[in-house]
Structure formats: C-alpha cells, structure tokens
Amino acid sequence: MVKDGNIVHQYFKKQLEGVTILVKVNPILYKGSEITLTPDGKSTLRELQFDEGIFDDLKHDGFSEASPLEFNLYYSGLA
C-alpha cells in the first residue's frame, strides 16, 4: 500500500479574471486539493478525487506547473 506522505505531489496554477486557482495532485492515488483565491483575499479549499485524465484536463483548462511552496503557503494560511 502506498502512503500519501511518500509521494511527490504535482502542483498547478491558473489565473482567471483576478481569481487564482492552485491545485495539488497526488499522481499515484489521483486525489488532491484545490485552493481558490479571490481578489478580495478570500480563499476556499476543496479536497478532490481525480481520474487518470487529470493531467490532460489541467492542460486543456489552461493550468501551468506551479510552485509547491506557493500552494503550501496558502494551504497553511501563511500567505
């Protein structure tokens, strides 16, 4: 069994009309998190389950690779 802590996650980012969306993907278990940041400083976090096509979906939707540091600063509430 693969533990989530032993996996190198992949991170993606997209900006759309002032809204920033950051996504963390576990490439083995196909689960992850999405943080949505609005221009007024509010953020929402969603835990998500993906399928094998997630990387094609992210590319199609205009996401680019992002920094793990940026995602984790928002995730921990430090940014």
Side-chain angles (χ1 to χ4, degrees):
M1 179 176 181
V2 177
K3 292 186 179 183
D4 194 43
N6 296 332
I7 297 170
V8 176
H9 294 85
Q10 292 179 263
Y11 298 85
F12 301 89
K13 180 179 182 178
K14 178 180 178 178
Q15 293 186 321
L16 179 67
E17 299 178 10
V19 174
T20 301
I21 302 169
L22 299 163
V23 178
K24 175 176 86 171
V25 178
N26 175 321
I28 305 299
L29 302 176
Y30 297 111
K31 62 181 185 174
S33 305
E34 175 189 87
I35 300 172
T36 304
L37 308 166
T38 61
D40 62 0
K42 294 182 182 178
S43 66
T44 57
L45 173 68
R46 295 189 317 152
E47 298 297 328
L48 302 170
Q49 184 67 46
F50 305 115
D51 63 24
E52 298 83 18
I54 183 58
F55 300 108
D56 291 332
D57 293 344
L58 289 167
K59 184 177 179 179
H60 180 265
D61 290 342
F63 282 83
S64 57
E65 290 189 31
S67 163
L69 178 60
E70 181 179 16
F71 181 93
N72 285 297
L73 284 172
Y74 284 109
Y75 186 77
S76 66
L78 295 174

Coordinates of all heavy atoms in Angstrom, one line a residue:
M1 N 0.8 -1.2 0.0 CA 0.0 0.0 0.0 C 0.9 1.3 0.0 O 1.8 1.4 0.8 CB -0.9 0.0 1.2 CG -1.8 1.2 1.3 SD -2.9 1.1 2.7 CE -3.8 2.6 2.5
V2 N 0.6 2.2 -0.8 CA 1.3 3.4 -0.9 C 0.7 4.5 0.0 O -0.5 4.7 0.0 CB 1.2 4.0 -2.4 CG1 2.0 5.3 -2.5 CG2 1.8 3.0 -3.4
K3 N 1.6 5.0 0.8 CA 1.1 6.1 1.8 C 1.2 7.4 1.1 O 2.2 7.7 0.4 CB 2.0 6.0 3.1 CG 1.7 4.8 3.9 CD 2.5 4.9 5.2 CE 2.2 3.6 6.0 NZ 2.8 3.7 7.3
D4 N 0.3 8.3 1.4 CA 0.2 9.6 0.8 C 1.5 10.4 1.1 O 1.9 11.2 0.3 CB -1.0 10.3 1.2 CG -1.3 11.6 0.4 OD1 -1.2 11.5 -0.8 OD2 -1.7 12.6 1.0
G5 N 2.1 10.3 2.2 CA 3.2 11.0 2.6 C 4.5 10.7 1.9 O 5.5 11.4 1.9
N6 N 4.5 9.6 1.2 CA 5.7 9.1 0.5 C 5.6 9.5 -1.0 O 6.4 9.0 -1.8 CB 5.9 7.6 0.6 CG 6.1 7.2 2.0 OD1 6.7 8.0 2.8 ND2 5.7 6.0 2.4
I7 N 4.7 10.3 -1.4 CA 4.5 10.6 -2.8 C 4.9 12.0 -3.1 O 4.6 12.9 -2.3 CB 3.0 10.4 -3.2 CG1 2.7 8.9 -3.0 CG2 2.7 10.8 -4.6 CD1 1.2 8.5 -3.2
V8 N 5.6 12.3 -4.2 CA 5.9 13.6 -4.6 C 4.7 14.2 -5.4 O 4.4 13.7 -6.5 CB 7.2 13.7 -5.5 CG1 7.4 15.1 -6.0 CG2 8.3 13.1 -4.7
H9 N 4.0 15.1 -4.8 CA 2.8 15.7 -5.4 C 3.2 16.6 -6.6 O 4.3 17.1 -6.6 CB 2.0 16.5 -4.4 CG 1.4 15.5 -3.4 ND1 2.1 15.2 -2.3 CD2 0.2 15.0 -3.3 CE1 1.3 14.3 -1.5 NE2 0.2 14.2 -2.2
Q10 N 2.3 16.9 -7.5 CA 2.5 17.9 -8.5 C 1.5 19.0 -8.3 O 0.4 18.8 -7.9 CB 2.2 17.2 -9.9 CG 3.3 16.1 -10.2 CD 3.1 15.4 -11.5 OE1 2.5 14.3 -11.5 NE2 3.5 16.0 -12.6
Y11 N 2.0 20.2 -8.7 CA 1.2 21.4 -8.4 C 1.0 22.2 -9.7 O 1.8 22.3 -10.6 CB 2.0 22.3 -7.4 CG 2.2 21.6 -6.1 CD1 3.3 20.7 -5.9 CD2 1.3 21.8 -5.0 CE1 3.5 20.1 -4.7 CE2 1.5 21.2 -3.8 CZ 2.6 20.3 -3.7 OH 2.7 19.6 -2.5
F12 N -0.2 22.8 -9.7 CA -0.6 23.6 -10.9 C -1.3 24.9 -10.5 O -1.8 25.0 -9.4 CB -1.6 22.7 -11.8 CG -0.9 21.5 -12.2 CD1 -1.0 20.3 -11.4 CD2 -0.2 21.4 -13.4 CE1 -0.4 19.1 -11.8 CE2 0.4 20.2 -13.8 CZ 0.3 19.1 -13.0
K13 N -1.3 25.8 -11.4 CA -1.9 27.2 -11.1 C -2.5 27.7 -12.4 O -2.1 27.5 -13.5 CB -0.7 28.1 -10.7 CG -1.1 29.5 -10.4 CD 0.1 30.3 -9.9 CE -0.3 31.7 -9.5 NZ 0.9 32.4 -9.0
K14 N -3.6 28.5 -12.1 CA -4.3 29.2 -13.2 C -4.9 30.5 -12.7 O -5.4 30.5 -11.5 CB -5.4 28.3 -13.8 CG -6.2 29.0 -14.9 CD -7.3 28.0 -15.3 CE -8.2 28.7 -16.4 NZ -9.2 27.8 -16.9
Q15 N -4.8 31.5 -13.5 CA -5.4 32.8 -13.1 C -6.4 33.1 -14.1 O -6.2 33.0 -15.3 CB -4.3 33.9 -13.0 CG -3.4 33.7 -11.9 CD -2.4 34.8 -11.7 OE1 -1.9 35.4 -12.6 NE2 -2.1 35.1 -10.4
L16 N -7.6 33.6 -13.6 CA -8.7 33.8 -14.5 C -9.5 35.0 -13.9 O -10.1 34.8 -12.8 CB -9.6 32.6 -14.6 CG -10.9 32.7 -15.4 CD1 -10.5 32.9 -16.9 CD2 -11.7 31.4 -15.3
E17 N -9.5 36.1 -14.5 CA -10.3 37.3 -14.1 C -10.1 37.7 -12.6 O -11.0 37.9 -11.9 CB -11.8 37.1 -14.4 CG -12.1 36.8 -15.8 CD -13.6 36.5 -16.1 OE1 -14.4 36.7 -15.2 OE2 -13.9 36.2 -17.2
G18 N -8.8 37.7 -12.2 CA -8.4 38.1 -10.9 C -8.5 36.9 -9.9 O -8.1 37.1 -8.7
V19 N -9.0 35.8 -10.2 CA -9.1 34.6 -9.4 C -7.9 33.7 -9.6 O -7.6 33.5 -10.8 CB -10.4 33.9 -9.6 CG1 -10.5 32.6 -8.7 CG2 -11.6 34.8 -9.2
T20 N -7.3 33.3 -8.6 CA -6.2 32.3 -8.7 C -6.6 31.0 -8.2 O -7.2 30.9 -7.1 CB -4.9 32.8 -7.9 OG1 -4.5 34.1 -8.4 CG2 -3.8 31.8 -8.1
I21 N -6.3 29.9 -9.0 CA -6.7 28.6 -8.6 C -5.4 27.8 -8.6 O -4.6 27.7 -9.5 CB -7.6 27.9 -9.6 CG1 -8.9 28.8 -9.8 CG2 -8.0 26.5 -9.2 CD1 -9.8 28.3 -10.9
L22 N -5.1 27.2 -7.4 CA -4.0 26.4 -7.2 C -4.4 24.9 -6.9 O -5.4 24.7 -6.2 CB -3.2 26.8 -5.9 CG -2.6 28.3 -6.0 CD1 -2.3 28.8 -4.6 CD2 -1.4 28.3 -6.9
V23 N -3.8 24.0 -7.6 CA -4.2 22.6 -7.5 C -3.0 21.7 -7.1 O -1.9 21.9 -7.7 CB -4.8 22.1 -8.8 CG1 -5.1 20.6 -8.7 CG2 -6.0 22.9 -9.2
K24 N -3.2 20.8 -6.1 CA -2.2 19.8 -5.8 C -2.7 18.5 -6.2 O -3.9 18.1 -5.8 CB -1.9 19.8 -4.2 CG -1.0 18.7 -3.8 CD -0.7 18.9 -2.3 CE -1.7 18.2 -1.5 NZ -1.4 18.1 0.0
V25 N -1.9 17.7 -6.9 CA -2.3 16.4 -7.4 C -1.4 15.3 -6.9 O -0.2 15.4 -7.0 CB -2.4 16.3 -8.9 CG1 -2.8 14.9 -9.4 CG2 -3.3 17.4 -9.5
N26 N -2.0 14.3 -6.3 CA -1.2 13.1 -6.0 C -1.3 12.2 -7.2 O -2.3 11.7 -7.6 CB -1.9 12.3 -4.8 CG -1.3 11.0 -4.5 OD1 -0.9 10.3 -5.3 ND2 -1.2 10.7 -3.2
P27 N -0.1 12.0 -7.9 CA -0.1 11.4 -9.2 C -0.3 9.8 -9.2 O -0.4 9.2 -10.2 CB 1.2 11.7 -9.8 CG 2.1 11.9 -8.6 CD 1.2 12.5 -7.6
I28 N -0.3 9.3 -8.0 CA -0.4 7.8 -7.8 C -1.8 7.5 -7.4 O -2.5 6.6 -8.0 CB 0.6 7.3 -6.7 CG1 2.0 7.7 -7.1 CG2 0.4 5.8 -6.6 CD1 2.6 7.1 -8.4
L29 N -2.4 8.2 -6.4 CA -3.7 7.9 -5.9 C -4.8 8.8 -6.5 O -6.0 8.6 -6.3 CB -3.7 8.1 -4.4 CG -2.7 7.2 -3.6 CD1 -2.8 7.6 -2.1 CD2 -3.0 5.7 -3.8
Y30 N -4.4 9.7 -7.4 CA -5.3 10.6 -8.1 C -6.3 11.3 -7.1 O -7.5 11.3 -7.3 CB -6.1 9.9 -9.2 CG -5.2 9.4 -10.3 CD1 -5.0 8.0 -10.4 CD2 -4.5 10.3 -11.1 CE1 -4.1 7.6 -11.4 CE2 -3.7 9.8 -12.1 CZ -3.4 8.5 -12.2 OH -2.6 8.0 -13.2
K31 N -5.7 11.9 -6.1 CA -6.5 12.7 -5.2 C -5.7 14.0 -5.0 O -4.5 14.1 -5.3 CB -6.9 12.0 -3.9 CG -5.7 11.6 -3.0 CD -6.2 10.9 -1.8 CE -5.0 10.6 -0.9 NZ -5.5 10.1 0.4
G32 N -6.4 15.0 -4.4 CA -5.6 16.2 -4.2 C -6.5 17.3 -3.6 O -7.6 17.1 -3.1
S33 N -6.0 18.6 -3.7 CA -6.7 19.7 -3.1 C -6.7 20.9 -4.1 O -5.8 21.0 -5.0 CB -5.9 20.2 -1.9 OG -5.8 19.1 -1.0
E34 N -7.7 21.7 -4.0 CA -7.8 22.9 -4.8 C -8.0 24.1 -3.9 O -8.9 24.1 -3.1 CB -8.9 22.8 -5.8 CG -9.2 24.0 -6.6 CD -10.5 23.9 -7.4 OE1 -11.5 24.3 -6.9 OE2 -10.4 23.5 -8.6
I35 N -7.2 25.1 -4.1 CA -7.4 26.4 -3.4 C -7.8 27.4 -4.4 O -7.1 27.6 -5.4 CB -6.1 26.8 -2.6 CG1 -5.6 25.7 -1.7 CG2 -6.3 28.2 -1.9 CD1 -4.3 26.0 -1.0
T36 N -8.9 28.1 -4.1 CA -9.3 29.2 -4.9 C -9.2 30.5 -4.1 O -9.6 30.6 -3.0 CB -10.8 29.1 -5.3 OG1 -11.0 27.8 -6.0 CG2 -11.3 30.2 -6.2
L37 N -8.4 31.5 -4.7 CA -8.1 32.8 -4.1 C -8.8 33.9 -4.9 O -8.6 34.0 -6.1 CB -6.6 33.0 -4.1 CG -5.8 31.9 -3.5 CD1 -4.3 32.1 -3.9 CD2 -6.0 31.8 -2.0
T38 N -9.6 34.7 -4.2 CA -10.4 35.7 -4.9 C -9.6 37.1 -4.7 O -8.8 37.2 -3.7 CB -11.8 35.8 -4.3 OG1 -11.7 36.1 -2.9 CG2 -12.6 34.6 -4.6
P39 N -9.9 38.0 -5.5 CA -9.2 39.3 -5.4 C -9.4 40.0 -4.0 O -8.6 40.8 -3.6 CB -9.8 40.2 -6.5 CG -10.3 39.2 -7.5 CD -10.8 38.0 -6.7
D40 N -10.5 39.7 -3.3 CA -10.8 40.4 -2.1 C -10.1 39.6 -0.9 O -10.3 40.0 0.3 CB -12.3 40.5 -1.8 CG -13.0 39.2 -1.7 OD1 -12.3 38.1 -1.9 OD2 -14.2 39.2 -1.5
G41 N -9.2 38.7 -1.2 CA -8.4 38.0 -0.2 C -9.0 36.7 0.4 O -8.5 36.1 1.3
K42 N -10.2 36.4 0.0 CA -10.9 35.2 0.5 C -10.3 33.9 -0.2 O -9.9 34.0 -1.4 CB -12.4 35.2 0.3 CG -13.0 36.3 1.1 CD -14.5 36.3 1.0 CE -15.1 37.4 1.8 NZ -16.6 37.5 1.6
S43 N -10.3 32.8 0.5 CA -9.8 31.6 -0.1 C -10.8 30.4 0.3 O -11.4 30.4 1.4 CB -8.4 31.2 0.3 OG -8.4 30.9 1.7
T44 N -10.9 29.5 -0.6 CA -11.7 28.3 -0.3 C -10.8 27.1 -0.7 O -10.0 27.1 -1.6 CB -13.0 28.2 -1.1 OG1 -12.7 28.3 -2.5 CG2 -13.9 29.3 -0.8
L45 N -11.0 26.0 0.1 CA -10.2 24.8 -0.1 C -11.2 23.6 -0.4 O -12.2 23.5 0.4 CB -9.4 24.5 1.2 CG -8.7 23.1 1.2 CD1 -7.6 23.1 0.2 CD2 -8.1 22.9 2.6
R46 N -10.9 22.9 -1.4 CA -11.7 21.7 -1.7 C -10.8 20.5 -1.8 O -9.7 20.6 -2.4 CB -12.4 21.8 -3.0 CG -13.5 22.9 -3.0 CD -14.4 22.9 -4.3 NE -13.6 22.7 -5.5 CZ -14.2 22.1 -6.6 NH1 -15.4 21.7 -6.6 NH2 -13.4 22.0 -7.7
E47 N -11.2 19.4 -1.2 CA -10.5 18.1 -1.4 C -11.1 17.4 -2.5 O -12.4 17.3 -2.6 CB -10.5 17.3 -0.1 CG -9.9 17.9 1.1 CD -8.4 18.2 1.0 OE1 -7.7 17.4 0.3 OE2 -7.9 19.2 1.5
L48 N -10.3 16.9 -3.5 CA -10.9 16.3 -4.7 C -10.3 14.9 -5.0 O -9.2 14.6 -4.6 CB -10.5 17.3 -5.9 CG -10.9 18.7 -5.8 CD1 -10.3 19.5 -6.9 CD2 -12.4 18.8 -5.9
Q49 N -11.1 14.2 -5.7 CA -10.7 12.9 -6.2 C -10.7 13.0 -7.8 O -11.6 13.5 -8.4 CB -11.7 11.8 -5.8 CG -11.3 10.4 -6.3 CD -10.1 9.9 -5.5 OE1 -10.0 10.0 -4.3 NE2 -9.2 9.3 -6.3
F50 N -9.6 12.6 -8.4 CA -9.4 12.8 -9.8 C -9.4 11.4 -10.5 O -9.4 10.4 -9.8 CB -8.0 13.4 -10.1 CG -7.8 14.7 -9.4 CD1 -6.8 14.9 -8.4 CD2 -8.5 15.8 -9.7 CE1 -6.6 16.1 -7.8 CE2 -8.3 17.1 -9.1 CZ -7.3 17.2 -8.2
D51 N -9.3 11.4 -11.8 CA -9.1 10.2 -12.5 C -7.8 10.3 -13.3 O -7.1 11.3 -13.2 CB -10.3 9.9 -13.5 CG -10.5 10.9 -14.5 OD1 -9.6 11.6 -14.9 OD2 -11.7 11.0 -15.0
E52 N -7.5 9.3 -14.1 CA -6.2 9.2 -14.8 C -6.0 10.3 -15.8 O -4.9 10.6 -16.2 CB -6.1 7.8 -15.5 CG -6.1 6.6 -14.6 CD -7.5 6.2 -14.2 OE1 -8.5 6.5 -14.9 OE2 -7.6 5.5 -13.2
G53 N -7.1 11.0 -16.2 CA -7.0 12.0 -17.2 C -6.8 13.4 -16.6 O -6.8 14.4 -17.4
I54 N -6.5 13.5 -15.3 CA -6.4 14.8 -14.7 C -5.3 15.7 -15.3 O -5.5 16.9 -15.5 CB -6.1 14.7 -13.2 CG1 -6.1 16.1 -12.5 CG2 -4.9 13.9 -12.9 CD1 -7.4 16.9 -12.7
F55 N -4.2 15.2 -15.7 CA -3.1 16.0 -16.3 C -3.5 16.6 -17.7 O -3.3 17.7 -18.0 CB -1.8 15.2 -16.3 CG -1.4 14.8 -15.0 CD1 -1.5 13.5 -14.6 CD2 -1.0 15.7 -14.0 CE1 -1.1 13.1 -13.3 CE2 -0.6 15.4 -12.7 CZ -0.7 14.0 -12.4
D56 N -4.2 15.8 -18.5 CA -4.7 16.3 -19.7 C -5.8 17.3 -19.5 O -5.9 18.3 -20.2 CB -5.3 15.1 -20.6 CG -4.2 14.2 -21.1 OD1 -3.1 14.6 -21.3 OD2 -4.6 13.0 -21.3
D57 N -6.7 17.1 -18.5 CA -7.7 18.1 -18.2 C -7.1 19.4 -17.7 O -7.6 20.5 -18.1 CB -8.6 17.5 -17.0 CG -9.5 16.3 -17.5 OD1 -9.6 16.1 -18.7 OD2 -10.0 15.6 -16.6
L58 N -6.1 19.3 -16.9 CA -5.5 20.6 -16.4 C -4.8 21.3 -17.5 O -5.0 22.6 -17.6 CB -4.5 20.3 -15.3 CG -5.0 19.8 -13.9 CD1 -3.9 19.2 -13.1 CD2 -5.8 20.9 -13.2
K59 N -4.2 20.6 -18.4 CA -3.5 21.3 -19.5 C -4.6 21.9 -20.4 O -4.4 23.0 -20.9 CB -2.7 20.3 -20.3 CG -1.9 20.9 -21.5 CD -1.1 19.8 -22.2 CE -0.3 20.5 -23.3 NZ 0.5 19.5 -24.0
H60 N -5.6 21.2 -20.7 CA -6.7 21.7 -21.6 C -7.4 22.9 -21.0 O -7.8 23.8 -21.7 CB -7.8 20.6 -21.8 CG -8.9 21.0 -22.6 ND1 -10.1 21.5 -22.1 CD2 -9.1 21.0 -24.0 CE1 -10.9 21.8 -23.1 NE2 -10.3 21.5 -24.2
D61 N -7.5 23.0 -19.6 CA -8.1 24.1 -19.0 C -7.2 25.3 -18.7 O -7.5 26.3 -18.1 CB -8.7 23.6 -17.6 CG -9.9 22.7 -17.8 OD1 -10.5 22.7 -18.9 OD2 -10.2 22.0 -16.8
G62 N -5.9 25.2 -19.2 CA -5.0 26.3 -19.2 C -4.2 26.4 -17.9 O -3.6 27.5 -17.6
F63 N -4.1 25.3 -17.1 CA -3.2 25.3 -15.9 C -1.8 25.1 -16.4 O -1.5 24.4 -17.3 CB -3.6 24.2 -15.0 CG -4.8 24.5 -14.2 CD1 -6.1 24.3 -14.7 CD2 -4.7 25.0 -12.9 CE1 -7.3 24.6 -14.0 CE2 -5.9 25.2 -12.1 CZ -7.1 25.1 -12.7
S64 N -0.9 25.7 -15.6 CA 0.6 25.5 -15.8 C 1.2 25.0 -14.5 O 0.6 25.1 -13.4 CB 1.2 26.8 -16.2 OG 1.0 27.8 -15.3
E65 N 2.4 24.4 -14.6 CA 3.0 23.9 -13.4 C 3.3 25.0 -12.5 O 3.5 26.2 -12.9 CB 4.3 23.2 -13.8 CG 4.1 21.9 -14.5 CD 5.3 21.1 -14.7 OE1 6.2 21.2 -13.8 OE2 5.4 20.4 -15.7
A66 N 3.2 24.8 -11.2 CA 3.3 25.8 -10.1 C 4.3 25.3 -9.0 O 4.7 24.2 -9.0 CB 2.0 26.1 -9.5
S67 N 4.6 26.3 -8.2 CA 5.5 26.0 -7.1 C 4.8 25.3 -5.9 O 3.7 25.8 -5.4 CB 6.1 27.4 -6.6 OG 6.6 27.3 -5.3
P68 N 5.4 24.3 -5.4 CA 4.8 23.7 -4.2 C 4.8 24.6 -3.0 O 3.9 24.6 -2.2 CB 5.8 22.5 -3.9 CG 6.5 22.2 -5.1 CD 6.5 23.5 -5.9
L69 N 5.8 25.5 -2.9 CA 5.9 26.5 -1.9 C 4.7 27.4 -1.9 O 4.1 27.7 -0.8 CB 7.2 27.3 -2.0 CG 7.4 28.4 -0.9 CD1 7.4 27.8 0.5 CD2 8.7 29.2 -1.2
E70 N 4.3 27.9 -3.0 CA 3.2 28.8 -3.1 C 1.9 28.1 -2.6 O 1.2 28.7 -1.8 CB 3.0 29.3 -4.5 CG 1.8 30.3 -4.7 CD 1.6 30.8 -6.1 OE1 2.2 30.3 -7.0 OE2 0.9 31.8 -6.2
F71 N 1.7 26.9 -3.1 CA 0.5 26.2 -2.7 C 0.5 26.0 -1.2 O -0.5 26.3 -0.5 CB 0.4 24.8 -3.4 CG -0.8 24.0 -3.0 CD1 -1.9 24.1 -3.8 CD2 -0.8 23.2 -1.9 CE1 -3.1 23.4 -3.4 CE2 -2.0 22.5 -1.5 CZ -3.1 22.6 -2.3
N72 N 1.6 25.5 -0.6 CA 1.6 25.2 0.8 C 1.6 26.5 1.7 O 1.1 26.4 2.8 CB 2.8 24.3 1.1 CG 2.6 22.9 0.6 OD1 1.7 22.3 1.1 ND2 3.3 22.5 -0.4
L73 N 2.0 27.6 1.2 CA 1.9 28.8 2.0 C 0.4 29.2 2.1 O -0.1 29.6 3.2 CB 2.6 30.0 1.3 CG 4.2 30.0 1.5 CD1 4.8 31.0 0.7 CD2 4.5 30.1 3.0
Y74 N -0.3 29.1 1.1 CA -1.8 29.3 1.1 C -2.5 28.2 1.9 O -3.4 28.5 2.7 CB -2.4 29.5 -0.3 CG -2.1 30.8 -0.9 CD1 -1.2 30.9 -2.0 CD2 -2.7 32.0 -0.4 CE1 -0.9 32.1 -2.6 CE2 -2.4 33.2 -1.0 CZ -1.5 33.2 -2.1 OH -1.2 34.4 -2.7
Y75 N -2.1 27.0 1.7 CA -2.7 25.9 2.4 C -2.6 26.0 3.9 O -3.5 25.7 4.7 CB -2.1 24.6 1.9 CG -2.8 23.3 2.4 CD1 -4.0 22.9 1.9 CD2 -2.2 22.6 3.5 CE1 -4.6 21.7 2.4 CE2 -2.8 21.4 4.0 CZ -4.0 21.0 3.4 OH -4.6 19.9 3.9
S76 N -1.4 26.4 4.4 CA -1.2 26.6 5.8 C -1.7 27.9 6.4 O -1.6 28.1 7.6 CB 0.3 26.4 6.1 OG 1.0 27.5 5.5
G77 N -2.1 28.8 5.5 CA -2.6 30.1 6.0 C -1.6 31.1 6.2 O -1.8 32.1 6.8
L78 N -0.3 30.9 5.8 CA 0.7 31.8 6.0 C 0.8 32.9 4.9 O 1.5 33.9 5.1 CB 2.1 31.1 6.0 CG 2.2 30.1 7.2 CD1 3.5 29.3 7.1 CD2 2.2 30.9 8.5
A79 N 0.1 32.7 3.8 CA 0.1 33.8 2.8 C -1.3 34.4 2.7 O -2.3 33.9 3.1 CB 0.4 33.1 1.4

